[in-house]
Amino acid sequence: MLSIPAYIIVALVLFCIGTIGVLITRNIIILFMSIELMLNAANLVLIAFSRALNLMDGHAFVFLVLTVAAAEAAVGLAMVITLYRNRETINIDRFNILKW
Amino acid sequence: MSEYLFLVPLLPFIGFLINGLLLGRLPRPVVSFIACASVGLSFVIALLLFFDLKAMPADMRLIEQTLFTWIPAGSFHANIAYMLDPLSAVMILVVSGVGFVIHIYSVGYMHHDPCFGRYFTYMNLFTFAMLTLVLADNFLLMFVGWEGVGLCSYLLIGFWYEKKSAADAGKKAFIVNRIGDFGFLIGMFIIFWQIGSLDFQTVMAEAPHVFIAGGGLITAVCLLLFMGATGKSAQIPLFVWLPDAMEGPTPVSALIHAATMVTAGVYMIVRTNVLYMMAPDAMLVVAIIGVATAFFAATIGLAQNDIKRVLAYSTVSQLGYMFLACGVGAFTAGIFHLMTHAFFKALLFLGAGSVIHGMSNEQDMRYMGGLKKYMPITFWTMLIATLAISGIPGFSGFFSKDEILWKSFSSQFGHPVFWVLGVITAGLTAFYMFRLINMTFFGKGRMDDKTRKHLHEAPRSMTVPLIVLAVLSVVGGYVGLPHVFFGATNYFEHWMAPVLSGGQAASHALASGGGDTGTELGLMAASVLLVLIAIYFAYLLYNKSPERATSLREKLSGMHKMIVNKYYVDEIYGATIVRPLVYFSLFLWKVVDVVVIDGFINGLAGAYSDVSGYLRTSQTGRVRSYATVFVVGVVIVTAYFLFG
Amino acid sequence: MIDTVIFFVSAVIAVGSAVMMISQRNPVLSVLYFIVSLLAQAVLYVQLGALFLGAVLIIVYSGAILVLFLFVIMLLNLRGTEDLGPTGPAVSRASKYLVSVLLLVELVFVIKASFFSAVPVGIVDVAPSEFGSVESVAELLFSNYLYPFELTSILLLAAIVGAVVMAGRLRDTHQEEGETETPTTDVQIKEEV
C-alpha cells in the first residue's frame, strides 16, 4: 500500500491542470471540462483523506459532489447552447457584453 | 356639572366634524342648525358652569378636568386638561355667547354664498380652538388653541380665495402671526427650562421662587410672551395684518378679528399676570406699546373710507387700550374692556355687515348716506354700539374705558402721560365713529339707483343678533361699576380677584388705584367732555357742512395723505423687511444654493464619475481575466496564511 | 509492489490525459482524453478502497455526463476548426501558467503543513472489508447525511428546470432586425432542432 500523500499530490497536480485549463483555453466547452476536472481532483483528495482517517464520511461528500457536478453540467451545457445560439461562437472572450 | 367641562369645547368640534366630513352632502338648514346648535349648547353649558363656579366660595373657584395625557416624555407631561376659573369663565361666556349670536347672524348673511357649509365648518373649528385656548390648563394646550385660531383666521380671511387680495391677506395674517408665535414659543421654552413644567398652576406657584423679581430672565420671558400677544392681538409692530383681514366675510371679522381671537393676547397676559407683575420693565413696555397702538391706530381710523377698515383700526386701537390696562397692572379692567368691547365691536361689525348686505356689497362709505330710513334697526343698534365705544356715560364702553383711563393715571405702574394719550384716543375714537355713523346713515344717499332700489333692512336672523348685542352693549357695563358712583360694588373686580391674587402677592403691592374720588370724577368728566366735543365736530364736518371737511382736508393735505396711507407702515415694512428678505432669499437661491451647494455636490459627483470612468475599464467583461484575478487572489491569501 | 506499479501507471495516465485534454483544439478529442483521465482516476479510487465511488465515477461521470458533453458538441456541430481569433500576448499566457504553478506549490505546502504534522496518520494497510462498499455508503447517506441527500434531489430538480428553460428558450434570437419578436410555438422549436 502506497502512502496517502502520493495520491494527494496527484490530486493537486490534476487540480492545477484544471486551473490552467480554465485560465488558458478560450473554448467554452474545454473550459467547462476543466472545471469538472478540478471538482474531480477535490474528490480524489476527499477519498484519500477518508482512507487515511478510516472514516466513510468523505465518501458521502464525494457522492454529493458528484450529484452537484451532474447538475452543474446540465445547467452549464444548457447555457452553452443558449450562448451559442446568440453568438454563433464558443469563444469565451466573445461573451463580454457584461462590462462597462 | 363640572364633569361636563370638556363638552364646552367638544361640542363645536363635533359640529365641525359633522359639517366638515359631510361637506356638501347636507342641506343648508341642517348645516346651519348643527353649527348654531353646537355653539349654542356649548354656551348653555358654559352658563351652567358659570353658576356652579359662582356658588363656590370665592377662593376655591376652580374646576379642573384632565382628559388624558397627551405627551408623556420623561419628567415632562403635557395633558389635555381644561381649567375653569373666573377668568376663563368670563372668556368662555364671551366666546360661546358672542359666537352663538354671530353664528345665527351668519345664517342670514351667508345665505347666498355657495360655500355655506365650508364657512360653518371653519366657524365651528374656530370656536373649538378658541375655547381650547381659554380653557387650557397649560401653556402647550393653550398654544394648540392659539395656533388653531390662527389657522381658522387664515382660512376665514381667505374664505373667498378666488380673490387674490383675500388670499394674500390670509397669508399676511398667517405669516405676521408666525413672527409673534415664535416669541411665544421661546418664552414657553424658557419657562419650561426654568420651572420644568408648563402647567399654569405650577408655573404661577413656582415662578416667585424660581425667578428673581425684576430680573432679566423674567423680563425676557414676559417680553417674549408679549411678542406673541402683539402678533395675535395686532399691536405695534405686528398690527399690519388686521386691517387686511377685513377681506374675510363680515361675521368673521366680527367674531375673530374683533370679539374673540384678537383678544387672545390680552387673555394670555392676564393669565400669566403673576409673571408680569414680577417684571415691571416688561409691564412698562406693554403699557407703552398699548397706548401707542391705541393712539396710532385711532389716527389712521380718522381717514379711512372703507367702513370695515375704520372698524378694523378701531379694533386695533381698542386692543391697545386693553394692553394699556394690562401694562399698568389693571388686569381686571383689561378683561372688562375685552368683554364690553366684544359686545359693541361685534355689534358694530355685524351692523356694518348688515349695511354691506343691504348696499349690495358696497363697502366704501363715500357711496353711502341716508341709510337711516332704509334700515332703522341697523341704525339704532349701531348707534348704541357707537355710543358705547365712544364712552358716553351709561353705556358699557364708558365704564370699562374709564376704568382703564383711571388706572393708567392712578396705578403704581401708571403715568399721567398714559392718561393724556388715552383720553385723546378716546376723543379720536368718538370722532371717527361718529364720522362713520354720519357718513353712513345721515345726509343724502350717494349710491347709484340700482343699489338704492335694492336697499332693504336685513332679515330677521340678522337683526335679532344685532338687538341682542345692543342690549348687551348697554347693560354689559353694569357688572363693573366704579366705586365712585355712590359706592357701587364692582362685581367684576370681585369676581376676578382670585385670579389676580397671585400676581399681587408676587409684586408685594396692590395694583388697584390710590387717588381720591374727586380726581377720579374730574378726570372722568374731562374725558366725557372731550368725547362730546369730538362728536360735535364729527357732526359738523360730516353731516351739517361737508364742504368744511373738504376744505379742512385740503388745509391738512400732507397729514391727511399720510394718514390715508396708514403712515406708510406697510411700505416701510416692505422696504425694510420684506424686500431685503426677498433679495436675501434670491441670494440664497442663486448663489448659495445653485452655485455653492449644487456646485459642491455636482463637483463631487463629477469627480467620482471621472475616477470611476478610469476604474471601470478593469471590468473587461472577460470571464478568464476575472478568473485569473481570482486565482491570483487565492495565491496571495494562501501565501499570507502559510508564510505570513 | 504491484500496487505501486498500478498507482504510477494510473497517475501518469490521469495527469497526462488531463494535460492532453486542455491542450486540444478539437473539443471531441478533449472529451475523450477527459474520459481516459477519469478512468485512470477511478483506478486510484479503487486503490483507496472507494469501490462504489469508483464505479459511480465510471458509470455516471464518463458514462453520462461526458456523453452529455459529446452530445452538446455534436448538437452545436463543432469540429475544432473554428477560428477563435488571435491568442493573447505570450506574457499574459506565461503569467497564467506561473500563477497556477504557484498555486500548486502553495497547496503542497498546505498539505505538508496540515496533513503530515497535525493529523494523526493511521493508515491501515488493508481496508476493512466493508470500507467503501455500497452498503456502508448507503448507510451513511440515509442516516447522518439524510438531509443533504434529500436536498440534492431538490437541487437536481432545479437543475432540470433550469436546463429546460434555458436551453429551450421560447424565443428566436436569429430573427431579422426590425421584426417583432413573436412568441415561438412548438413548431418553431422543432424547426430549430
Side-chain angles (χ1 to χ4, degrees), chain A residues 24-26 93 96 99-100, chain B residues 616-617 619-621 624 628:
Chain A
I24 295 297
T25 188
R26 287 173 297 160
D93 284 352
N96 64 346
K99 61 177 177 183
W100 76 88
Chain B
R616 71 178 184 175
T617 49
Q619 301 289 309
T620 55
R624 290 193 308 153
T628 311

Side-chain angles (χ1 to χ4, degrees), chain B residues 367-385:
Chain B
Y367 302 108
M368 297 180 186
L371 294 182
K372 183 182 160 192
K373 66 173 183 229
Y374 296 106
M375 20 182 55
I377 300 175
T378 307
F379 166 66
W380 285 110
T381 51
M382 270 191 92
L383 185 64
I384 289 169

Side-chain angles (χ1 to χ4, degrees), chain A residues 33-70:
Chain A
M33 283 191 291
S34 301
I35 295 173
E36 300 283 338
L37 184 62
M38 289 162 84
L39 272 173
N40 274 303
N43 280 350
L44 190 53
V45 171
L46 277 169
I47 287 175
F49 279 152
S50 197
R51 181 75 180 82
L53 300 173
N54 204 15
L55 276 173
M56 284 288 289
D57 296 52
H59 290 213
F61 293 169
V62 171
F63 188 84
L64 298 177
V65 170
L66 283 177
T67 327
V68 171

Side-chain angles (χ1 to χ4, degrees), chain A:
Chain A
M1 181 69 208
L2 269 166
S3 61
I4 297 297
Y7 291 90
I8 292 174
I9 297 293
V10 173
L12 294 182
V13 170
L14 285 173
F15 184 84
C16 283
I17 292 168
T19 313
I20 292 169
V22 169
L23 298 187
I24 295 297
T25 188
R26 287 173 297 160
N27 188 322
I28 191 165
I29 291 177
I30 296 178
L31 185 143
F32 207 29
M33 283 191 291
S34 301
I35 295 173
E36 300 283 338
L37 184 62
M38 289 162 84
L39 272 173
N40 274 303
N43 280 350
L44 190 53
V45 171
L46 277 169
I47 287 175
F49 279 152
S50 197
R51 181 75 180 82
L53 300 173
N54 204 15
L55 276 173
M56 284 288 289
D57 296 52
H59 290 213
F61 293 169
V62 171
F63 188 84
L64 298 177
V65 170
L66 283 177
T67 327
V68 171
E72 185 214 334
V75 176
L77 287 172
M79 284 166 71
V80 169
I81 291 172
T82 316
L83 287 171
Y84 186 80
R85 237 191 251 157
N86 277 302
R87 285 281 166 121
E88 296 272 8
T89 182
I90 49 163
N91 186 351
I92 186 81
D93 284 352
R94 293 280 306 281
F95 305 120
N96 64 346
I97 52 167
L98 201 67
K99 61 177 177 183
W100 76 88

Side-chain angles (χ1 to χ4, degrees), chain B residues 176-177 179-181 227-228 230-242 573:
Chain B
V176 172
N177 264 302
I179 301 170
D181 293 345
M227 187 173 155
T230 55
K232 189 108 304 187
S233 296
Q235 296 297 292
I236 291 173
L238 301 178
F239 71 96
V240 287
W241 65 272
L242 187 55
Y573 281 3

